[in-house]
Amino acid sequence: MPISFAPMREYMRIHKISYYYLANQGIESATLQRIRHDQPITTATLGKLCKIMHCAPEDLICYQESEED
């Protein structure tokens, strides 16, 4: 998948934000699982994460070139 949530995981580590906290803020466990595995989420969910974590989308995702392309 060309979109990675590695920046989000790093942001969470730096700011001491847990997946448990995000779940308690209304992020579905299935969505958190998708994030852990760099699978797609909706832009609405991305916006909700930005609001919860007080950040911008570029703090949470990055584009990675695929070797298959």
Side-chain angles (χ1 to χ4, degrees):
M1 194 75 194
I3 299 297
S4 173
F5 288 94
M8 178 177 167
R9 292 186 286 271
E10 180 66 11
Y11 186 93
M12 289 172 67
R13 185 187 67 75
I14 291 168
H15 295 279
K16 298 179 175 28
I17 299 170
S18 68
Y19 287 107
Y20 180 77
Y21 172 77
L22 294 176
N24 284 333
Q25 296 298 309
I27 304 297
E28 298 288 331
S29 61
T31 300
L32 296 173
Q33 186 69 11
R34 295 180 73 73
I35 290 168
R36 285 186 186 102
H37 295 284
D38 290 332
Q39 296 176 338
I41 63 170
T42 66
T43 54
T45 300
L46 184 60
K48 188 173 183 179
L49 286 166
C50 290
K51 184 175 181 179
I52 292 168
M53 298 170 68
H54 306 288
C55 63
E58 59 267 21
D59 296 325
L60 305 182
I61 60 173
C62 67
Y63 176 79
Q64 296 179 335
E65 287 284 335
S66 175
E67 293 179 15
E68 299 169 358
D69 292 342

